[in-house]
Amino acid sequence: MKYSSQMVAKPYFIFALILLAGEILFGLILGLQYINGDFLFPEIPFNVARMVHVNLLIVLILFGFMGAAYYLVPEESERELWSPLLAKITFWVFAAAGVATILGYLFVPYATLAEVTYNDLFPTMGREFLEQPTITKIGIVLVVLSFILNIGMTVLKGRKTVITVVLLTGLIGMAVFFLFAFYLPENLVLDKFFWWFVIHLWVEGVWELILGAILSFVLIKVTGVDREHIDKWLYLIIAMTLVSGILGTGHHYFYIGTPDYWLWIGSIASAVEPLPFFLMVLYAFTMAKQRRIDHDNKIALTWAKGTAVIAFLGAGVWGFMHTLAPVNYFTHGTQLTAAHGHLAFFGAYIMILFTIIAYCMPIMRGRPHGNCLKAQAVERASFWLMVIGMLGVTFALTAAGIAQIMMQRWPETGALGFMATQAELIPIYKVRFAFGLMVFIGLLTYLYSFFVKEPETVRS
Amino acid sequence: MADRITKNMARNIYFGGSLFAILVFVGLTFDTVQKVPELSNDDQITHSVASGKNLWEVNNCVGCHTIMGEGAYYAPELANVFDRRGNANEEYFKSYLQAWMAAQPLPNNGRRKMPQFNLTEEQVNDLADFLIWTSRIDDNDWPPNIEG
Ligand code: HEM
Ligand code: HEM
Ligand SMILES: [Fe+2]
């Protein structure tokens, strides 16, 4: 570690991992409710558990991005962070607001939560992923602004690299698009239209810039490849991202009351969206092959390659599967959507956090060459447990989605109703739950790897 | 491929390509906003429909249901529930929805449960108006059949 202020990243990473454990735990609750509708009802209705599940996901990714930025920006900029104190304050404000909101979901009926937070005065609640009370949303804006100020000042006052400029562009884009969360028109179609400005333009737009920047940083560090080379790849990847991803928003505008030219524009533009993910795979493997150094932190490179591959599968392959309008006509809003959402989020935005944590956590703990071999072996086992578990979850949901379409969507007459179809799918949901459990065991194994003792000889 | 492209070329594709995509997207956004009122019968959004939408939100219905294919996949699609359960008759649909909301949670063992929201009669009517309005949006003939 070159600058002491990089240490502020540590609590962000630790908190992100704690939230991840909570997220998966609530995923398992949801998985059980899919099998037995009485599970935890009425204490935790499905919608409440789901809000906790997806809100923890978003918040943990934000914590992870912040940790990553606080670590890599000083190092890239070759100076201390503009204000380490501000970074510490934002951490506690964000953590407290996040915990309070989750407790609100769990212990207060949602309608009451809306009432006591004055949703009537400024309504923003009650939409998927944007369930937070308006006051929490305002809090998120303030936290993100202070974060961007801190990172922005550090970038501006220090050495500017392609990585930091791309990262900063992604972060500013993220803040700008979040502002659409405050726009809630009375017309449901317009509501949906602009809702995707937050959701789609995040995960298939600006977040991919952040992803590319973090991946590039780790690749430089563990392969020692020339920066010119890295910069070129990064530009190519984000060029393809924005060229396809912005108009690709149209793949959500097929069947929600928007004009029908989106059927063509959305299909064509989003059909190109797998390309940047494919480039990421080539990028990670080419850099690994051309490496100039053999870093002892092998597991960091494993995570980097894994991120590229699983993101390509989840976003690229599973995304392409249902992105053409005629296919989407039948798959829209089925378990196939859930299959894709799971593998894409995991591969792209959870695995990149494991990647950056694998690289910088050992350094922050005084182990510049990475963790000892035993700890890396445990971490490698957890890598496979989580990856295979998530692939299992995805295959199970894909099977459930196809069966759902065949029973409920495809037949023109005599189709099975929704609830009857879901009852038929319970055996598949049991398989999904089993693989979900495997993911959770993988995460526990991962967390345990932090506590594997370093051998005495290495330490001295 | 990557060998023949220089860093400068890659950067120019990034700036040029993104600018182009953003301009087209902004243009289409303006056009869409112009056209949505007609596609969705914006003039039929009464006070009751608007209030129904608000109730849909503050009770987090979308945390279990889909509406025009978006939301959660735990409970049935509701953008076409008027077509499915309404007998093409608004009054019929309203009395159906009153009975349905009052009956929750259904006692069937192991069945997925919908909570009791304790809504007033007027609130349920507003929700019904919102769902009736939604069922008439021109959404390119989605879903494929009545089951949603
Ligand atoms: C890392 C990147 C991505 C993430 C995290 C992601 C995540 C998601 C999620 C969570 C949904 C469900 C949204 C909802 O609740 O309604 C979704 C829907 C969708 N995604 Fe992605 N996605 C990514 C990339 C892609 C790509 C590259 C494509 C196309 C090639 C794609 C195509 C789609 C389509 C067509 C839908 C709509 C499904 C439906 O109609 O039900 N996604 N995505
Ligand atoms: C491994 C155990 C997990 C289980 C059993 C599980 C289960 C579930 C269930 C049942 C839903 C609700 C689907 C519905 O609306 O009906 C859901 C939604 C979701 N989960 Fe998970 N989950 C797990 C892990 C994860 C992980 C690790 C991630 C992200 C990396 C994730 C991301 C999501 C997302 C994005 C949604 C919303 C999907 C959409 O709208 O299409 N889940 N999950
Ligand atoms: Fe999308």
Side-chain angles (χ1 to χ4, degrees), chain A residues 132-293:
Chain A
Q132 311 81 24
T134 305
I135 177 91
T136 303
K137 289 197 183 83
I138 295 173
I140 293 175
V141 170
L142 295 178
V143 164
V144 169
L145 282 183
S146 95
F147 161 64
I148 290 179
L149 174 71
N150 214 345
I151 293 298
M153 290 308 280
T154 314
V155 169
L156 287 181
K157 295 195 165 188
R159 178 182 72 148
K160 289 165 202 65
T161 66
V162 175
I163 291 182
T164 54
V165 173
V166 170
L167 181 71
L168 192 60
T169 312
L171 295 174
I172 292 173
M174 171 167 103
V176 168
F177 290 123
F178 186 65
L179 296 180
F180 287 95
F182 292 94
Y183 178 56
L184 179 52
E186 273 185 358
N187 187 314
L188 180 68
V189 178
L190 285 182
D191 172 2
K192 284 171 175 284
F193 183 77
F194 286 107
W195 179 82
W196 285 110
F197 278 43
V198 187
I199 308 305
H200 172 99
L201 289 176
W202 270 14
V203 300
E204 289 156 71
V206 290
W207 281 19
E208 267 181 73
L209 270 57
I210 302 172
L211 167 67
I214 300 175
L215 188 64
S216 301
F217 175 77
V218 175
L219 285 176
I220 288 192
K221 294 294 165 181
V222 298
T223 65
V225 167
D226 179 40
R227 199 174 268 275
E228 274 294 302
H229 220 58
I230 292 272
D231 290 352
K232 181 178 80 182
W233 276 94
L234 181 54
Y235 270 131
L236 262 186
I237 289 171
I238 62 174
M240 294 308 131
T241 296
L242 295 186
V243 167
S244 64
I246 293 176
L247 287 167
T249 318
H251 64 187
H252 303 293
Y253 298 158
F254 298 153
Y255 308 115
I256 61 164
T258 35
D260 52 12
Y261 49 71
W262 287 110
L263 294 171
W264 286 98
I265 295 169
S267 297
I268 293 168
S270 71
V272 186
E273 281 189 49
L275 189 60
F277 288 100
F278 184 67
L279 287 181
M280 266 185 238
V281 178
L282 290 183
Y283 178 40
F285 281 82
T286 312
M287 295 305 108
K289 214 161 77 195
Q290 301 177 348
R291 67 181 177 273
R292 299 240 182 97
I293 52 170

Side-chain angles (χ1 to χ4, degrees), chain B residues 76 80-89 92-93 96 146-147:
Chain B
N80 68 341
V81 65
F82 172 62
D83 305 325
R84 190 163 55 240
R85 304 276 183 235
N87 245 345
N89 178 326
Y92 178 91
F93 179 67
Y96 154 78
I146 197 74
E147 299 301 346

